[in-house]
Amino acid sequence: MKLTENQVIAIKRKRGELNMSIRGLERATGVSRWTLIDIFKHDHRNVNSKTFKKLNDWLINEYELSTRVHPTKVVVNHD
């Protein structure tokens, strides 16, 4: 399977937002750091289906976590 440039950019952005090292991303996704380095530094876009799924699942989970509204942080406008 082939990762798109947009997918790779999204992974890099989320990794940056979370201030995550390659090893941290390895632990979070289950994808080896060597594969991640190949993807980021060597434009390696063809990955096996398991790697593709792990990276997409991580992105989706992180997106869902970032869009949840915590019940104690709801802002109510009293205009």
Side-chain angles (χ1 to χ4, degrees):
M1 301 191 83
K2 187 169 183 154
L3 292 168
T4 66
E5 189 62 27
N6 286 339
Q7 286 170 307
V8 174
I9 289 169
I11 294 165
K12 287 179 177 180
R13 279 188 183 148
K14 185 47 77 173
R15 176 181 167 229
E17 288 173 13
L18 298 172
N19 195 25
M20 199 177 256
S21 67
I22 290 284
R23 287 204 177 223
L25 187 58
E26 175 184 34
R27 285 189 293 274
T29 63
V31 175
S32 82
R33 69 181 182 271
W34 305 114
T35 299
L36 294 168
I37 289 168
D38 278 348
I39 291 167
F40 294 153
K41 296 190 177 186
H42 304 293
D43 294 327
H44 177 79
R45 300 295 187 253
N46 290 317
V47 296
N48 68 42
S49 59
K50 288 181 183 180
T51 298
F52 189 90
K53 182 174 178 357
K54 287 176 183 180
L55 291 172
N56 271 339
D57 287 350
W58 177 76
L59 269 178
I60 291 166
N61 289 337
E62 287 300 323
Y63 174 78
E64 288 174 350
L65 288 172
S66 70
T67 59
R68 287 188 187 152
V69 176
H70 192 281
T72 61
K73 296 192 182 208
V74 174
V75 177
V76 178
N77 189 351
H78 294 286
D79 288 340

